């Protein structure tokens, strides 16, 4: 049975941990509000851009635009979005497992698979597993901006147009709610046929192009890709804060339960020690009679 001093020290330690987890939960909740507002504000723009691209793409010759041309996937690149910090439950592990499952499902299908990591946790985990990481983007999440997303999209576009890769996929956590995140693997390049205006609604819409159809599409495609990367980053950041808030809430509740159990054990141990001392006193008194 542990001593009273060790139990007191352990209770004190758990209470200190509980204060930390409670503070981290409050910080994550405040950051989640800002991140949630950002991602919810960006979604309508992303959907509107998708509709415009559907409509424009349905009126032009897709063969004239290399970003829309699908070729055999021999060399692909995965853009893996995780977090720089831990203490957010299975947020990072779920993304890494999704990458592993994708590689397992397509084992032997691709000649070369390279990765581009955003977030230190994903980079470290994939590096330990021997992944071929083409480039890491350290510190990007600390100073998130559309310009950085646009630069990443431009680099990926150059790789695709030069033939270094035949396809690009985004892997990230999509923000669903404060208690739910969904791991998403989405194709970024080439732009999928359904994202190029193959629907009946797009076909029924008439557009006037200025200066011409090809010019509009060439100007639209880079911004569309940059917005897809930006949307993935916003979704990942919001999902990270939601996961951390939920994880710290569970940790705080577990600490409360542990404190209760340790306090009960402490009281029982203390009572047993008192009873033992009383019995020794009574036994000594009886022996003196």
């Amino acid at each position: 049975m542990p001593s009273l001093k060790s139990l007191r020290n352990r209770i004190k330690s758990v209470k200190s941990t509980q204060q930390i987890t409670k503070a981290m939960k409050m910080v994550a909740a405040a950051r989640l509000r800002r991140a949630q507002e950002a991602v919810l504000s960006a979604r309508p723009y992303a959907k509107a851009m998708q509709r415009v691209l559907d409509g424009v793409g349905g009126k032009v010759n897709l063969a004239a635009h290399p970003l829309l041309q699908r070729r055999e996937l021999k060399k692909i690149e995965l853009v893996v979005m995780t977090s720089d910090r831990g203490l957010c439950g299975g947020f990072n592990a779920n993304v890494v497992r999704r990458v592993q499952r994708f590689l397992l499902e397509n084992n032997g299908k691709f000649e070369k698979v390279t990765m581009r990591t955003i977030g230190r946790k994903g980079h470290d985990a994939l590096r330990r597993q021997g992944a071929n990481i083409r480039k890491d983007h350290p510190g990007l999440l600390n100073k998130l901006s559309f310009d950085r997303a646009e630069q990443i999209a431009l680099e990926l576009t150059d790789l695709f147009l030069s033939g270094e890769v035949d396809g690009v996929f985004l892997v990230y956590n999509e923000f669903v709610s404060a208690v739910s995140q969904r791991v998403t693997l989405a194709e970024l390049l080439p732009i999928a046929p359904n994202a190029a205006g193959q629907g009946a609604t797009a076909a029924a819409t008439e557009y006037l192009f200025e200066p011409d159809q090809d010019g509009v599409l060439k100007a639209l495609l880079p911004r569309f890709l940059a917005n897809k990367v930006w949307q993935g980053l916003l979704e990942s950041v919001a999902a990270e804060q939601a996961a951390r808030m939920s994880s710290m809430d569970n940790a705080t509740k577990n600490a409360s339960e542990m404190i209760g159990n340790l306090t009960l054990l402490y009281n029982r141990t203390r009572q047993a020690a008192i009873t033992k001392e009383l019995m020794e006193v009574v036994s000594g008194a009886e022996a003196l009679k």
Side-chain angles (χ1 to χ4, degrees):
M1 182 177 291
S3 65
L4 291 176
K5 182 178 180 181
S6 65
L7 286 173
R8 283 197 300 268
N9 291 337
R10 192 172 179 188
I11 291 173
K12 182 179 179 181
S13 175
V14 175
K15 285 183 177 179
S16 299
T17 303
Q18 185 186 42
Q19 292 177 349
I20 295 173
T21 58
K22 188 180 295 185
M24 292 184 66
K25 174 190 171 183
M26 296 175 62
V27 172
R31 291 178 176 175
L32 173 60
R33 283 193 292 270
R34 296 194 296 269
Q36 184 174 356
E37 290 175 0
V39 72
L40 294 180
S41 299
R43 281 178 180 174
Y45 179 79
K47 291 179 180 179
M49 179 167 284
Q50 182 71 65
R51 288 194 301 268
V52 171
L53 183 63
D54 289 347
V56 174
K59 305 296 182 180
V60 299
N61 180 17
L62 300 184
H65 300 277
L67 293 178
L68 303 175
Q69 295 176 7
R70 184 170 297 275
R71 53 182 184 256
E72 184 180 359
L73 293 179
K74 295 182 179 180
K75 296 172 289 185
I76 69 167
E77 179 141 320
L78 300 177
V79 182
V80 183
M81 300 180 182
T82 55
S83 68
D84 286 332
R85 299 184 297 130
L87 299 178
C88 49
F91 175 84
N92 296 306
N94 291 337
V95 173
V96 174
R97 280 197 295 266
R98 183 65 183 93
V99 172
Q100 293 173 334
R101 181 157 63 90
F102 175 78
L103 297 178
L104 184 62
E105 292 171 348
N106 297 277
N107 186 28
K109 180 179 178 181
F110 307 122
E111 293 180 0
K112 183 179 180 182
V113 178
T114 56
M115 298 187 189
R116 182 178 297 259
T117 56
I118 299 173
R120 182 173 58 85
K121 289 296 182 178
H123 173 76
D124 293 345
L126 293 171
R127 185 180 58 182
R128 286 194 298 268
Q129 297 172 8
N132 183 6
I133 300 177
R134 183 194 299 271
K135 185 174 181 179
D136 180 41
H137 296 272
L140 188 148
L141 298 175
N142 295 330
K143 196 174 182 181
L144 202 60
S145 66
F146 183 80
D147 292 339
R148 299 290 298 274
E150 195 171 31
Q151 181 61 34
I152 294 173
L154 181 61
E155 293 175 5
L156 294 171
T157 300
D158 292 340
L159 290 174
F160 182 78
L161 294 178
S162 65
E164 291 190 48
V165 298
D166 302 310
V168 179
F169 296 85
L170 299 179
V171 189
Y172 61 94
N173 277 291
E174 181 183 356
F175 175 77
V176 179
S177 67
V179 295
S180 178
Q181 304 85 43
R182 178 171 54 240
V183 180
T184 301
L185 190 148
E187 186 178 37
L188 181 67
L189 284 170
I191 297 176
N194 63 341
Q198 303 300 315
T201 303
T205 305
E206 294 295 334
Y207 289 90
L208 295 176
F209 297 96
E210 179 64 34
D212 55 54
Q213 297 176 348
D214 291 345
V216 170
L217 193 59
K218 286 179 181 179
L220 182 62
L221 289 178
R223 179 161 290 273
F224 173 79
L225 294 175
N227 189 72
K228 291 283 285 187
V229 176
W230 175 242
Q231 188 68 30
L233 289 170
L234 292 178
E235 296 279 354
S236 181
V237 169
E240 176 193 350
Q241 299 304 329
R244 180 168 290 108
M245 184 184 71
S246 179
S247 179
M248 291 300 100
D249 182 54
N250 292 333
T252 302
K253 292 178 180 178
N254 292 338
S256 296
E257 183 178 351
M258 185 177 293
I259 290 171
N261 294 335
L262 289 173
T263 301
L264 181 61
L265 179 59
Y266 174 82
N267 292 335
R268 287 178 176 175
T269 303
R270 180 171 176 271
Q271 186 62 45
I274 294 173
T275 302
K276 181 181 178 181
E277 291 177 1
L278 288 175
M279 290 180 64
E280 291 175 350
V281 170
V282 172
S283 298
E286 289 293 330
L288 292 175
K289 288 181 181 180

